[in-house]
Amino acid sequence: MNPAQLLEHFDRISEAPDAVVHLRRFILDLAVRGKLVEQNPNDEPAAELLKRIQAKKDARNIKEKSKPTKSDEKKTKAERELTLPNGWTWVPLADLTAVLNGRAYSKNELLEEGTPVLRVGNLFTSNHWYYSNLMLEDDKYCNHGDLLFAWSASFGPFIWPGPKVIYHYHIWKLSLHSEQDLNKNYLHKFLLHKTQEIKDSGHGVSMIHMTKEKMEKVVVPLPPFAEQHRIVAKVEELMALCDQLEAAKNEREARRDRLVAASLHRIDTAPAAADKAATAAQSATPLRDAARFHLGHLPRLTTRPEHIKQLRQTILNLAVRGRLVPQDPNNDEPAAELLKQISAITGQQAIVGGKVENLFTLPSGWEWSRVGLITTKTGSGSTPRGGKSAYQKAGVPFLRSQNVYNDGLRLNDVAYIDQDTHTRMRGTAIEPGDLLLNITGGSIGRCCLIPYRPIEANISQHVAIIRPAVAGLRDFMHKVVLSPFFQSFVIDEQTGAGRGGLPKNRMDQIPVPIPPLAEQHRIVAKVNELMALCDQLEAQLTAAQTDSRRLLETVLHESLAKVA
């Protein structure tokens, strides 16, 4: 398959993640290898261009009294193995351009008016500008059409569209020695292709930097001047096609997103199974039909992980509102009886009735309560004496937020404390059937149910225990905590500066809808059944994306081999 065929059939492999990104890289790779356009033996060889460029470079150095830059045509292994077409030659960047430094600024030199100061952020995402009224030498300014390269944190080349600005120290201006012999746009395309490699050769931990010396030694594959123009024209033509492919893919995804959202909304707003204005069988029909439509079309609708996440949220949303399974008032004991049992255990009234704001209308037989009224224990763990120095290589597991996930504990990164420390912290020891809820940081809201088997472990201050008063309530409570209804309270109730957290007194006040115990069991079974379906869809989606990615990589590899 040649490049033209690849583009013609691209829609077949466009479902691969970042397919257009891969295609753009492929086009640039072909361009700098001399495989994108045909060579013309009548073109003046690049070696002749270099003679004129070198002469102008030498004259420039004399005029500016600059030290000649040391050329170093040291190529990477990949470059050494790449045979250039006839008429091409390898050239160090320093022999083609002067790599000019920008200027660093102190805070008092950055003003609200004057000449704009171009920083790396302005080249990528930031619309916030600083200004300066300093009078600088000409090479500290850049104008419309100048070739720039950002070399700190964010990397990449740019053709500056204007206006006149002062460029910052973390940007280089690449001033061509001879624009009559080197197409600036070709060099820009090459640097786009080379950017990741340039960044990888940088240094630094929190922020990667590139040195000017290394940049000057980057080796450029230089074609004849006429071919440079042909390459630029073809790259721009194909990149425009990539833009069209990307726009078409985005539109397809947007249509799917709208269809998924409409379908889920239809399910979410279908009449409840216990609508008092209709029989149970009649009122269940709209919800059942809507769910059947959505589930029947899921394989075609589900093309991104976000779709499955939305479906999971809809399932949980229906579950906690009594809309997932039908009510059975003739056989189910009302939730009020369950809450009386809980009140006898906790010594406090568990039914709150009108004391809680009814965010939605509960089905018949349900009641409102609060977290603190239906539990025998809530609250976070603590830090062992000595902090991390108390951690052991073995002993009692000490569960932190990175161990708590919605589908259970993940112990590949678990810490341990010794038995004496665990005994001193016995107030935060966990029990089988406990719910563990992350209450701080980026994982706030993640919640797992501790298995119903003997377990010995303790928890950190970033994790809270929720221990329902009766064992039968725990599985349903887990679904409630994971639902959008409960999670909205977790997010809204965060406190603290910098790193939000959910304190015990606020967690205890979160309202909880309580169904009859028998209905809880039906809800949990149905949620588990539907979540298993979501797992299957997720696995199918992952497999499909993996296959599309492999197909794309294979096609690109074969295309490159056939034009080599």
Side-chain angles (χ1 to χ4, degrees):
M1 181 180 289
N2 60 37
Q5 290 173 317
L6 169 66
L7 295 172
E8 181 182 350
H9 299 289
F10 183 70
D11 59 325
R12 296 170 54 191
I13 50 178
S14 63
E15 295 302 331
D18 298 326
V20 177
V21 173
H22 284 283
L23 183 57
R24 291 184 193 277
R25 290 174 184 163
F26 173 68
I27 292 167
L28 291 172
D29 194 41
L30 290 177
V32 302
R33 289 169 178 260
K35 308 298 183 183
L36 196 63
V37 299
E38 293 183 0
Q39 278 74 49
N40 185 341
N42 296 320
D43 289 344
E44 182 184 39
E48 296 301 316
L49 305 180
L50 275 181
K51 294 177 183 178
R52 294 194 293 273
I53 293 173
Q54 185 62 48
K56 292 183 178 181
K57 174 186 173 185
D58 293 341
R60 179 178 187 173
N61 287 337
I62 292 172
K63 181 179 179 181
E64 298 177 357
K65 298 181 181 180
S66 303
K67 292 182 179 180
T69 53
K70 183 180 179 181
S71 298
D72 185 354
E73 198 173 326
K74 184 177 180 182
K75 299 186 283 291
T76 65
K77 180 181 178 182
E79 289 164 343
R80 289 196 301 270
E81 294 175 350
L82 175 62
T83 301
L84 293 180
N86 290 332
W88 289 48
T89 189
W90 290 107
V91 190
L93 184 66
D95 283 356
L96 298 174
T97 75
V99 180
L100 304 177
N101 283 324
R103 186 182 188 280
Y105 292 85
S106 61
K107 287 185 177 180
N108 62 354
E109 290 178 326
L110 295 174
L111 309 174
E112 296 300 318
E113 58 182 16
T115 303
V117 176
L118 177 67
R119 298 169 299 142
V120 171
N122 301 126
L123 290 172
F124 290 91
T125 58
S126 176
N127 290 320
H128 183 266
W129 286 82
Y130 289 103
Y131 300 85
S132 174
N133 58 10
L134 295 173
M135 300 300 293
L136 305 173
E137 53 270 32
D138 289 344
D139 66 6
K140 300 305 179 188
Y141 296 90
C142 68
N143 295 283
H144 174 82
D146 282 343
L147 177 58
L148 307 176
F149 193 90
W151 57 267
S152 176
S154 297
F155 280 63
F158 296 85
I159 302 289
W160 179 242
K164 181 179 180 179
V165 294
I166 304 169
Y167 61 104
H168 191 266
Y169 177 71
H170 289 156
I171 298 171
W172 286 314
K173 181 168 72 170
L174 306 181
S175 177
L176 276 60
H177 295 313
S178 174
E179 293 196 16
Q180 290 73 39
D181 301 288
L182 175 61
N183 186 311
K184 186 186 305 178
N185 289 289
Y186 170 77
L187 186 56
H188 175 254
K189 307 305 181 195
F190 166 74
L191 291 172
L192 280 175
H193 168 74
K194 195 78 172 177
T195 290
Q196 188 58 51
E197 187 179 329
I198 292 173
K199 183 175 182 179
D200 291 342
S201 67
H203 65 280
V205 179
S206 60
M207 186 178 292
I208 303 297
H209 300 284
M210 180 66 172
T211 65
K212 179 180 177 181
E213 182 181 12
K214 283 185 178 181
M215 188 67 180
E216 289 176 335
K217 292 179 180 179
V218 169
V219 184
V220 181
L222 185 67
F225 191 59
E227 189 173 346
Q228 293 176 35
H229 284 277
R230 295 197 298 273
I231 289 171
V232 169
K234 179 57 70 173
V235 168
E236 291 179 351
E237 174 191 339
L238 295 178
M239 289 300 179
L241 178 57
C242 286
D243 291 342
Q244 296 173 24
L245 291 169
E246 196 165 45
K249 183 176 181 181
N250 289 340
E251 178 56 30
R252 288 199 306 272
E253 290 180 350
R255 285 198 300 268
R256 285 174 182 150
D257 288 345
R258 291 192 294 269
L259 185 55
V260 169
S263 180
L264 293 177
H265 178 74
R266 185 181 176 194
I267 296 173
D268 215 6
T269 57
D275 191 330
K276 295 179 181 179
T279 67
Q282 291 172 331
S283 59
T285 299
L287 174 59
R288 186 165 56 244
D289 290 346
R292 185 183 297 117
F293 171 83
H294 188 81
L295 296 177
H297 290 79
L298 274 177
R300 285 189 297 169
L301 292 176
T302 305
T303 58
R304 299 210 312 275
E306 292 86 351
H307 296 156
I308 300 174
K309 181 179 179 181
Q310 291 169 15
L311 179 60
R312 291 185 192 276
Q313 294 297 294
T314 297
I315 292 166
L316 291 168
N317 192 43
L318 294 171
V320 301
R321 284 166 165 75
R323 303 168 64 83
L324 197 62
V325 301
Q327 281 74 49
D328 188 359
N330 295 324
N331 296 302
D332 292 347
E333 183 178 66
E337 296 302 316
L338 172 63
L339 292 174
K340 287 179 183 178
Q341 298 173 32
I342 292 175
S343 295
I345 295 171
T346 63
Q348 54 187 345
Q349 175 58 254
I351 299 177
V352 296
K355 296 179 182 178
V356 65
E357 178 186 359
N358 286 340
L359 300 177
F360 52 85
T361 301
L362 294 178
S364 177
W366 289 46
E367 298 288 349
W368 281 107
S369 189
R370 295 185 188 275
V371 170
L373 301 178
I374 54 175
T375 54
T376 56
K377 181 175 183 59
T378 60
S380 64
S382 58
T383 303
R385 188 180 303 165
K388 290 185 178 180
S389 64
Y391 294 171
Q392 307 290 316
K393 293 184 178 179
V396 178
F398 184 64
L399 305 177
R400 298 167 294 167
S401 57
Q402 58 260 54
N403 304 125
V404 176
Y405 283 79
N406 294 339
D407 58 358
L409 291 173
R410 298 187 188 178
L411 303 179
N412 55 312
D413 185 31
V414 71
Y416 295 92
I417 54 178
D418 60 36
Q419 191 65 48
D420 289 342
T421 301
H422 176 59
T423 300
R424 286 196 301 271
M425 298 170 62
R426 58 185 174 273
T428 54
I430 67 172
E431 295 181 1
D434 278 352
L435 299 175
L436 299 186
L437 174 66
N438 287 351
I439 57 173
T440 66
S443 67
I444 189 170
R446 281 205 314 242
C447 177
C448 73
L449 178 62
I450 298 300
Y452 294 97
R453 59 174 181 266
I455 186 169
E456 187 176 40
N458 220 300
I459 60 171
S460 79
Q461 72 273 25
H462 303 300
V463 181
I465 291 174
I466 298 177
R467 186 172 297 157
V470 295
L473 182 58
R474 296 179 183 184
D475 290 283
F476 177 74
M477 272 294 294
H478 185 223
K479 310 304 182 190
V480 171
V481 173
L482 297 181
S483 72
F485 164 74
F486 193 98
Q487 290 289 313
S488 67
F489 284 95
V490 174
I491 302 303
D492 290 346
E493 294 294 342
Q494 287 186 68
T495 60
R499 184 173 187 178
L502 178 68
K504 169 182 166 58
N505 64 333
R506 298 197 181 191
M507 180 173 67
D508 285 349
Q509 292 301 310
I510 296 177
V512 180
I514 305 293
L517 193 56
E519 187 177 345
Q520 291 182 34
H521 296 159
R522 295 196 300 274
I523 290 172
V524 169
K526 179 56 70 174
V527 169
N528 290 341
E529 174 191 339
L530 295 175
M531 290 300 178
L533 173 61
C534 290
D535 292 340
Q536 293 175 20
L537 290 169
E538 208 158 38
Q540 292 171 11
L541 177 61
T542 299
Q545 289 182 336
T546 300
D547 290 343
S548 296
R549 185 184 292 111
R550 287 173 179 167
L551 175 61
L552 176 63
E553 291 172 353
T554 300
V555 170
L556 294 182
H557 178 75
E558 290 179 355
S559 298
L560 186 57
K562 289 186 178 182
V563 297

